[in-house]
Amino acid sequence: MQEIKSYLAPRSLDEAVKAMAAGDVTVFCGGTDLTPQTDSGAKRYGATLMNIRRIEGLSGIAEAGDSIRIGAATTVTEVRRDPLIARAAPILAEAAEHFASDQIRNAASLGGNICNASPAGDMINPLLVLDAAVELASWADGALRTRSVPLENFFTGPRRHVKRPDELLTAIVFRKPATDFVGWFRKSGPRPALEISTVSVGIGGNLSDGVFRNVRVAMGSVAPTPLRAHGVEAALEGRPLDADSIRAAVAAADADATPIDDVRASAWYRKHLVKVFTEEVLNHVLGN
Amino acid sequence: MSLETEINFTLNGRPVTVRVPVAMKTLTMLREVLGLTGTKYACGEGECGACTVKVDGRTLNSCLMHAVDCDGRELVTIEGLKSPAGMNPTQKAFVDHGAVQCGFCMPGMIIQADYLTDDDPQLTREQAQRGLEGNLCRCTGYTKVLDAVEAAVEAKRCGR
Amino acid sequence: MDQKVTAPTIEKKTLIGQRVKKPDAPDKAIGKTRYINDMVLPQMLIGKVLFAGRPHARIVSIDTAAAERLPGVHAVLTGKDAAGLRFGFVRDNAALKDKVRCEHDEIAAVAAESEEIARQAIGLIEVVYEDLPGVFTPEDGAREDAPQIHDNFPGNKSLYFEFSHGEVAAAEADSDFVVDNVFRPHHVTHCCMGTSCAIADFDHNGKLTIWTQTQYPYNYKMDLAPALGLQPGDIRVIQPPVGGAFGSKLDVYPYEPIAALLAKRTGRPVKVIYSREEEFKASPTRQPAIIHMRTGCTRDGTLTFRTADVLLDNGAYTSWGPTIPVIMMRTVSGHYRVPVVDFKAQAIYTNNPYAGSFRGYGNVQTTWATAQQMDMLADMVDMEPLAFHLKNSQVSGEITPQKSFLRECVLVECLETAAGASDYSRKRKEYAAARAEPGRYKKGIGLASSIHNAGGAKIHKSDGIGTILKVDDYARVTVITGASEIGQGIDAVITLIVAEELGVPLEHVLIVNNDSDIAPWDVGVHASRTTFIAGNGTRRAARKAKAQILAAAEKMLGEPADTLELRGGSVVRDACGTPLIKLDRLLRQMHFQAEPELVMVTDYYEPKSEPEGAKHVSDHSAAYSHAVHVAEITVDTLTGEITVDKITMAQDVGRVINRMGLEAQIEGGLAIGLGYALSENMLLDRGLLKNPCFRDYKLLTAPEMPPLDLHFIESDCAEGPYGAKGISELPTIVIAPAIANALYNATGVRVFDPPMSPEKVARAIDAQRQAAGG
């Protein structure tokens, strides 16, 4: 095991990103992903271990203009119980409802679920559907810098993303969906929640006069990263949501998904489920 | 030696000051540093719930939590549920309803059940099932556990 | 005493069939119980094992120098330290190996001052292996050119069992219908919540004390001794509370002699405790099997014959797993009236993990096959399955071809009760008719049944138990018994029986059953035997004590002993309940009188069963029992997910002793059976376990436990305590095929290799759709 040289539990964001600028920092919040990875040797601790749970302003859910901002340290339980999320983004509440177990939801942070960059990350899927962006903060030239990266562009591979080691993910931001926004999320598994998704499908868009627009489709565990299924989106975009477009969407889902075999499921079963869930979610959206 | 740091927190209502290696987990601290062996290791990766403790009023898996993160917080373990007056209503319900067999998962199961019944005084059996999905038990098949949770809800409602 | 006149009478109240709490539950509920996993002894070292991590290899060299030099390391042992110390039924195992035969083979072990140092030391041991071609299925192992796993077991042949009765060819000629299938029950494991753990310590005279999770403390000494070069008499077995066992601790496994070898080398107590990953990889499994079964019947639904040709994946070593044919054949030959039987089972060594015993031992695998074939045959004959089952059901007094004497047999009552309570026949017809209709979700109902030994199983020379019972001056009763408590609740049963017989409060009964130097012989917790055997032993001992007490009361009170009774802590007149003297007072008077006496009795109970014998024709259990399960399910025909909506169960329990404990055992047994049926699966890839964690090895969780409708049929067993029979394995045995039959009822597909996972069911349904032309 690598030696940890210092432990930090900063109160301010400045303090945190300054430390990260100095290099080789392992960040934790709830620890629910970090601990199994360090225990198994899959991940090593850096020279500095930093607990970000005490940084002021890093957790909480708030409206900011026409957007909703969720602090990175906000727990999944907080998302699940938040009245604003329930009202404005029920698809996110639905994913939180089906996230791991109660004990994990109470500890796991939303930012951590994103930074873990698992293709099966359950909170990522609805955030892709909501077209969320992440805020990344760093310290450069004596000042706090932030940049915003669309979540869709965040992931580069399994457990890999565009966040630099000196950057801290501070928040997730998405525009409040319009009143005609419809969306739903479905994940598989014989257990209601305590399950690493075999696959998940989330679909959302604006449905008015029977026509589906601004469609965004996300799939989990069918590609090296959480996936925006552009083929499915194209099959639905600007079309009436009906049996024909649903059939086209299911066919596109088959093409978009490129799953692998692993201990949890075969590629065949994942593809099969993606098609089943695409149809199911669209039917749910239609109110069937 | 690995880096240690001193932390202060409240454990079962009493202040504690302890030095811990910064990578140590709360479960190890409880069992090996503080001698509170009621909280159990059964998987070490947050899948079984045997190590469940209450932190600042919410339950979590102590095997996943860095001990240093206890600093300034309030922990309740299975040893802290009982009062001088006796078992708390959840513990009593588990004993009375035959929910305890080998009992190894019970400290975590009871802490979680106690949290659920405190958190929602109207907790239904279905909600209890969902709330306990992070607690594995190999002996009981959960039926008597759920009976006990229902009884605990009732007992708390009657102020027992 | 002057108040005698006003003392209220004490009513006769029986505890039999009441709900009694487990005496150890309060300490467990407050986190006070000190499990073996929690134990720390002064000077204790931590032992850790280096596992091979490969399935088959020659060990070219081991370099332990760096590990030995690490500060805090006290000993490093390798195969040469266990040379010549072979153990196991066929002496094919050793604490530390000279060759790799499976992934979890123990190659080296260290004792160090902390877990951390021990882990580091393990990492410093350098082993050079030369990998050998492996054998991963019994079919491959049986091939002539197969790699040899043990030099002294040619052809990789392990144990072989057979039983036959009657002429199969003739019976087959008389059959109008024959079903013929191959069933492949799989590898699953116990998943005790408390991981495997042992603590060993030697005294100056070379006597070993071992704290262990064993569920068979006395034969354990005999089995452990050769692994250490000790005499069994030089081993003291202490059994602290354990986090479950379920059969997994019914043999010696290498970590136990490893702890002892390390303790011997270091002169200090050594604790070996597994992580969950080690537990998955290195603890025993349920025995997988390939069962080729054929069953025939005539047009009118009368069974004509049953054959089973079984191939067992022995794994690398021989523990209890490959002995399951002893029980398998009892069900093949004895479940329903089967006039002609042929059973053969060959175990073949492979480089896979090896199996031990696991609740439902052998019968889980067999019933998976027999109960599905009963369902298939009923359809072939075009009989309503309940009628088909009833037609072939035995009744009290029948004797099976293997000479199991079904003295009290209530199979018919079990069938009628479970089928009636669940409205089985009507629903089965309705769901089958709805199969072809459109719709994603399909309902199904399935019935299955089995037989199991319910009064022990005399596979050892003795199936008995010793009991010592003493009553002190304060009327506190101590029962010193061989019966082990592993969470199953024998403590509550013993307490209840003593309180019933001696009229003392439940809280005044103390059980001592965790030290082989104190408690007398018992075979162990297995074979659904403990309530039956220990219940009888306790009752007999309590009655001896009662006779002594009442004889003394007769002398003191001048009333005949046979008119007296012990009730509510007093001696009372049996007829009217009038208390005559407090029991504790009487006991003190007995003790301090001119001819003093103490109440201390002993009992040895040996059930009236016959040894199994090499030919397997014997009445090997003192009782047999049946259970019938009806499962109602909903199948998502797209995802393949099975939701169990309800289970209705009727089981012959003989007599309910502790109702709460009985229910708990049945519910828990069902949960293990449900996991076996639906989700649990050890995924082995060329001998390597791919899912050694709860994330990917899926135990049933609370939301998946269906509502249960439990019916206890009381057949009043003549040999059992108060009429009771053993109960705890049947719930695990019967449920999986009930679900398989329900799956067929819902969808028309059958799964022959459990678990019925969503993917497997989805594939089967998809294949069925393809075959039907889309």
Side-chain angles (χ1 to χ4, degrees):
Chain A
M1 196 169 79
Q2 195 170 333
E3 192 102 339
I4 301 170
K5 299 266 193 307
S6 67
Y7 168 71
L8 301 173
R11 302 269 165 185
S12 78
L13 182 58
D14 282 13
E15 222 182 311
V17 290
K18 276 182 199 165
M20 293 181 78
D24 201 17
V25 178
T26 301
V27 169
F28 77 93
C29 191
T32 55
D33 281 322
L34 179 68
T35 294
Q37 290 169 18
T38 48
D39 281 0
S40 70
K43 184 173 176 141
R44 305 182 127 239
Y45 281 112
T48 299
L49 180 65
M50 186 163 77
N51 180 353
I52 60 167
R53 233 184 37 79
R54 286 165 178 74
I55 297 175
E56 276 172 38
L58 208 64
S59 67
I61 301 167
E63 287 184 86
D66 60 355
S67 292
I68 292 175
R69 186 175 191 281
I70 306 177
T74 307
T75 66
V76 177
T77 294
E78 286 159 350
V79 172
R80 180 182 177 222
R81 296 181 172 206
D82 189 75
L84 173 62
I85 297 294
R87 199 169 60 242
I91 187 173
L92 193 57
E94 175 73 9
E97 181 69 25
H98 295 281
F99 185 92
S101 64
D102 218 39
Q103 292 95 319
I104 302 270
R105 287 191 290 263
N106 285 339
S109 69
L110 194 56
N113 191 241
I114 293 170
C115 288
N116 189 43
S118 160
D122 272 341
M123 299 305 285
I124 297 169
N125 186 311
L127 289 170
L128 284 169
V129 172
L130 292 165
D131 206 21
V134 294
E135 271 182 20
L136 303 175
S138 58
W139 189 263
D141 305 327
L144 180 75
R145 316 274 165 176
T146 60
R147 62 173 177 140
S148 171
V149 177
L151 192 58
E152 187 189 354
N153 301 335
F154 185 74
F155 305 103
T156 56
R159 315 255 171 228
R160 293 208 313 273
H161 44 61
V162 301
K163 185 181 81 62
R164 299 190 311 266
D166 67 320
E167 286 179 314
L168 183 68
L169 194 155
T170 51
I172 299 93
V173 181
F174 56 89
R175 289 169 75 89
K176 241 187 295 175
T179 49
D180 62 353
F181 178 86
V182 290
W184 203 243
F185 169 83
R186 170 74 152 95
K187 70 182 264 191
S188 68
R191 298 180 189 174
L194 191 59
E195 173 79 27
I196 302 298
S197 290
T198 303
V199 303
S200 61
V201 172
I203 301 178
N206 303 98
L207 186 64
S208 60
D209 303 328
V211 177
F212 211 18
R213 290 196 180 80
N214 306 314
V215 181
R216 282 182 297 274
V217 179
M219 294 177 176
S221 303
V222 294
T225 65
L227 183 75
R228 270 285 291 275
H230 293 296
V232 181
E233 292 174 0
L236 295 165
E237 185 62 40
R239 302 223 165 97
L241 189 52
D242 57 18
D244 281 347
S245 62
I246 290 176
R247 201 172 306 121
V250 169
D254 190 40
D256 281 347
T258 55
I260 53 163
D261 291 326
D262 68 15
V263 296
R264 292 176 192 134
S266 71
W268 175 87
Y269 187 57
R270 287 198 164 98
K271 268 209 179 233
H272 176 77
L273 285 184
V274 157
K275 290 184 279 184
V276 170
F277 290 173
T278 298
E279 184 171 353
E280 189 180 332
V281 169
L282 289 170
N283 277 321
H284 184 274
V285 163
L286 257 183
N288 288 353
Chain B
M1 278 315 286
S2 49
L3 179 71
E4 291 192 352
T5 192
E6 187 176 287
I7 55 172
N8 300 283
F9 62 101
T10 306
L11 178 58
N12 296 331
R14 299 177 72 89
V16 173
T17 300
V18 64
R19 284 189 75 77
V20 289
V22 296
M24 180 179 271
K25 303 307 173 298
T26 303
L27 174 63
T28 312
M29 174 184 73
L30 288 171
R31 291 179 57 82
E32 293 177 16
V33 181
L34 298 169
L36 290 178
T37 55
T39 307
K40 301 297 183 215
Y41 164 90
C43 82
E45 46 186 27
E47 292 286 328
C48 76
C51 68
T52 302
V53 297
K54 229 185 269 186
V55 181
D56 290 343
R58 287 210 193 285
T59 49
L60 40 75
N61 296 304
S62 64
C63 72
L64 298 179
M65 183 189 183
H66 285 73
V68 288
D69 200 22
C70 293
D71 191 39
R73 302 175 85 177
E74 200 172 306
L75 260 72
V76 179
T77 68
I78 188 67
E79 291 92 344
L81 284 192
K82 186 173 157 278
S83 72
M87 286 189 275
N88 98 345
T90 310
Q91 292 171 310
K92 189 168 180 318
F94 272 68
V95 171
D96 290 349
H97 288 79
V100 181
Q101 292 190 35
C102 92
F104 201 82
C105 69
M106 280 298 142
M109 188 77 80
I110 290 173
I111 284 268
Q112 179 65 13
D114 193 57
Y115 160 70
L116 293 171
T117 50
D118 277 349
D119 191 53
D120 181 0
Q122 314 293 325
L123 190 81
T124 65
R125 194 175 176 99
E126 289 68 32
Q127 288 168 330
Q129 283 183 296
R130 280 298 312 278
L132 292 171
E133 70 192 339
N135 293 79
L136 297 177
C137 172
R138 194 53 153 167
C139 290
T140 63
Y142 309 102
T143 303
K144 298 244 175 293
V145 168
L146 294 166
D147 293 347
V149 175
E150 285 187 318
V153 168
E154 190 57 32
K156 287 182 181 184
R157 187 180 296 144
C158 302
R160 264 176 278 153
Chain C
M1 303 227 309
D2 299 333
Q3 287 161 3
K4 227 185 253 176
V5 184
T6 55
T9 58
I10 302 173
E11 298 290 312
K12 186 171 196 160
K13 269 190 292 194
T14 182
L15 286 164
I16 303 301
Q18 302 300 307
R19 307 179 77 81
V20 166
K21 289 175 227 168
K22 251 176 90 50
D24 62 1
D27 273 353
K28 287 174 172 176
I30 63 171
K32 201 170 179 67
T33 299
R34 197 161 294 134
Y35 292 83
I36 184 170
N37 308 53
D38 304 325
M39 278 182 59
V40 175
L41 296 178
Q43 290 279 293
M44 188 177 86
L45 299 171
I46 298 295
K48 204 141 187 67
V49 178
L50 173 67
F51 298 102
R54 60 191 64 233
H56 199 195
R58 197 170 70 80
I59 299 169
V60 178
S61 64
I62 305 183
D63 183 352
T64 59
E68 282 165 51
R69 279 197 303 271
L70 188 70
V73 170
H74 287 248
V76 182
L77 303 180
T78 65
K80 65 181 184 338
D81 298 298
L85 299 175
R86 302 188 79 79
F87 72 96
F89 295 147
V90 296
R91 296 287 187 269
D92 61 357
N93 210 341
L96 292 157
K97 310 299 197 279
D98 53 8
K99 180 194 167 185
V100 178
R101 298 182 185 86
C102 68
E103 180 185 16
H104 68 71
D105 262 353
E106 299 78 8
I107 303 305
V110 304
E113 281 164 19
S114 74
E115 171 90 24
E116 183 58 33
I117 297 170
R119 183 176 301 129
Q120 280 179 38
I122 287 292
L124 292 172
I125 298 171
E126 283 184 35
V127 188
V128 177
Y129 297 100
E130 179 193 323
D131 285 319
L132 299 169
V135 170
F136 305 109
T137 65
E139 295 102 320
D140 284 350
R143 281 186 226 288
E144 252 177 45
D145 58 348
Q148 288 297 294
I149 294 168
H150 291 274
D151 292 341
N152 49 342
F153 290 92
N156 293 322
K157 282 194 173 149
S158 175
L159 305 178
Y160 176 76
F161 297 85
E162 64 183 357
F163 171 79
S164 71
H165 180 82
E167 289 296 323
V168 173
E172 190 162 355
D174 291 341
S175 303
D176 297 306
F177 301 99
V178 176
V179 271
D180 183 325
N181 312 95
V182 177
F183 300 87
R184 292 173 181 267
H186 62 312
H187 278 102
V188 294
T189 186
H190 305 73
C191 298
C192 302
M193 285 296 117
T195 57
S196 295
C197 180
I199 303 171
D201 195 20
F202 281 88
D203 72 10
H204 181 70
N205 298 320
K207 178 162 179 172
L208 168 67
T209 299
I210 186 156
W211 290 261
T212 149
Q213 295 156 318
T214 191
Q215 54 191 100
Y216 79 121
Y218 301 94
N219 276 337
Y220 179 83
K221 300 205 282 190
M222 181 182 77
D223 290 347
L224 180 61
L228 302 170
L230 291 177
Q231 294 300 313
D234 289 332
I235 300 172
R236 177 184 184 189
V237 178
I238 296 182
Q239 300 163 276
V242 301
F246 313 108
S248 65
K249 306 300 188 296
L250 205 55
D251 198 356
V252 167
Y253 291 99
Y255 67 94
E256 298 162 300
I258 284 172
L261 290 170
L262 289 169
K264 189 160 200 179
R265 176 65 62 90
T266 60
R268 289 169 62 162
V270 175
K271 177 179 186 175
V272 175
I273 180 166
Y274 278 167
S275 69
R276 178 55 59 186
E277 181 178 349
E278 289 171 334
E279 181 76 9
F280 266 110
K281 288 185 175 169
S283 64
T285 74
R286 189 185 288 288
Q287 178 64 51
I290 301 167
I291 303 170
H292 180 191
M293 184 172 284
R294 306 174 76 242
T295 308
C297 72
T298 57
R299 211 174 307 279
D300 72 348
T302 306
L303 290 175
T304 46
F305 76 95
R306 193 186 274 147
T307 69
D309 208 337
V310 181
L311 204 51
L312 298 173
D313 178 348
N314 193 93
Y317 303 97
T318 302
S319 178
W320 280 107
T323 68
I324 63 167
V326 169
I327 293 299
M328 295 181 96
M329 64 172 75
R330 292 271 166 179
T331 302
V332 169
S333 71
H335 189 35
Y336 296 108
R337 210 175 288 120
V338 188
V340 174
V341 180
D342 188 62
F343 178 94
K344 290 186 183 66
Q346 174 71 57
I348 300 288
Y349 281 110
T350 68
N351 297 111
N352 286 331
Y354 59 103
S357 59
F358 191 172
R359 192 177 195 169
Y361 173 80
N363 209 355
V364 167
Q365 296 90 325
T366 315
T367 300
W368 173 249
T370 52
Q372 289 202 63
Q373 289 208 329
M374 286 297 285
D375 204 52
M376 290 186 245
L377 271 177
D379 276 346
M380 289 169 87
V381 185
D382 199 20
M383 256 175 105
E384 204 287 306
L386 176 63
F388 180 60
H389 283 267
L390 288 171
K391 186 171 184 75
N392 293 288
S393 290
Q394 293 112 321
V395 295
S396 293
E398 286 192 53
I399 295 171
T400 74
Q402 278 186 266
K403 300 285 179 270
S404 299
F405 177 35
L406 310 182
R407 193 176 42 235
E408 306 89 6
C409 175
V410 290
L411 175 55
V412 166
E413 290 86 334
C414 289
L415 283 163
E416 286 174 343
T417 303
S422 59
D423 199 7
Y424 164 75
S425 297
R426 186 190 65 77
K427 286 179 181 165
R428 186 176 190 272
K429 198 178 287 179
E430 180 189 321
Y431 298 154
R435 215 186 275 158
E437 289 168 15
R440 173 171 173 176
Y441 299 95
K442 293 289 180 192
K443 287 202 172 295
I445 190 167
L447 179 148
S449 65
S450 198
I451 185 171
H452 204 67
N453 45 276
K458 201 163 280 180
I459 48 176
H460 299 284
K461 287 171 187 158
S462 156
D463 199 17
I465 189 168
T467 309
I468 301 167
L469 186 145
K470 73 183 182 80
V471 191
D472 73 8
D473 292 345
Y474 312 101
R476 305 292 172 123
V477 184
T478 303
V479 183
I480 305 168
T481 169
S484 302
E485 170 63 36
I486 56 172
Q488 87 278 31
I490 191 59
D491 53 356
V493 170
I494 288 173
T495 304
L496 183 155
I497 290 175
V498 169
E500 173 77 8
E501 294 297 331
L502 300 182
V504 295
L506 292 160
E507 314 76 72
H508 289 187
V509 182
L510 175 77
I511 299 169
V512 175
N513 63 342
N514 59 0
D515 186 335
S516 68
D517 275 5
I518 296 172
W521 158 264
D522 176 59
V523 175
V525 180
H526 73 117
S528 302
R529 72 183 280 282
T530 309
T531 289
F532 190 99
I533 306 284
N536 271 331
T538 302
R539 185 167 76 153
R540 285 157 53 106
R543 286 190 172 176
K544 286 180 188 174
K546 182 173 161 182
Q548 186 185 345
I549 292 166
L550 292 184
E554 178 180 288
K555 265 199 272 176
M556 263 171 230
L557 302 168
E559 300 197 23
D562 60 4
T563 65
L564 301 175
E565 189 50 270
L566 297 175
R567 245 179 249 167
S570 291
V571 178
V572 301
R573 286 197 190 101
D574 191 17
C576 58
T578 306
L580 302 174
I581 184 171
K582 290 275 192 196
L583 179 58
D584 57 340
R585 191 181 155 93
L586 170 69
L587 287 159
R588 286 193 293 272
Q589 289 185 11
M590 286 167 71
H591 188 180
F592 303 127
Q593 67 189 338
E595 288 173 49
E597 57 176 322
L598 271 181
V599 180
M600 311 183 282
V601 301
T602 66
D603 181 72
Y604 180 68
Y605 170 67
E606 182 69 47
K608 288 180 202 153
S609 46
E610 298 166 0
E612 175 70 23
K615 291 194 160 27
H616 309 293
V617 180
S618 66
D619 191 21
H620 77 165
S621 180
Y624 304 88
S625 154
H626 290 91
V628 177
H629 291 189
V630 176
E632 294 176 65
I633 65 171
T634 302
V635 185
D636 181 336
T637 58
L638 293 181
T639 64
E641 284 166 75
I642 294 174
T643 305
V644 182
D645 301 318
K646 189 180 177 187
I647 295 169
T648 305
M649 183 224 70
Q651 181 169 331
D652 173 11
V653 302
R655 175 76 66 210
V656 179
I657 303 285
N658 177 13
R659 190 170 298 273
M660 194 152 78
L662 170 62
E663 289 170 358
Q665 280 291 295
I666 300 278
E667 291 157 4
L670 278 167
I672 290 179
L674 280 169
Y676 182 83
L678 297 173
S679 61
E680 292 180 39
N681 194 6
M682 294 175 74
L683 299 165
L684 291 166
D685 180 10
R686 302 186 65 76
L688 304 182
L689 183 65
K690 294 299 180 192
N691 57 338
C693 57
F694 286 135
R695 192 172 297 220
D696 294 318
Y697 182 99
K698 293 184 188 306
L699 294 187
L700 200 77
T701 59
E704 292 147 307
M705 194 65 190
L708 307 174
D709 182 16
L710 309 180
H711 299 264
F712 303 132
I713 312 294
E714 298 192 306
S715 63
D716 197 9
C717 176
E719 263 290 304
Y722 310 94
K725 291 184 176 181
I727 54 96
S728 83
E729 289 176 283
L730 274 169
T732 305
I733 290 164
V734 185
I735 188 60
I739 294 171
N741 289 341
L743 175 64
Y744 180 79
N745 180 230
T747 64
V749 304
R750 269 198 192 279
V751 170
F752 296 95
D753 51 335
M756 293 170 275
S757 64
E759 171 160 358
K760 208 177 283 171
V761 172
R763 273 182 190 276
I765 292 172
D766 192 62
Q768 183 195 45
R769 280 206 191 100
Q770 306 278 349

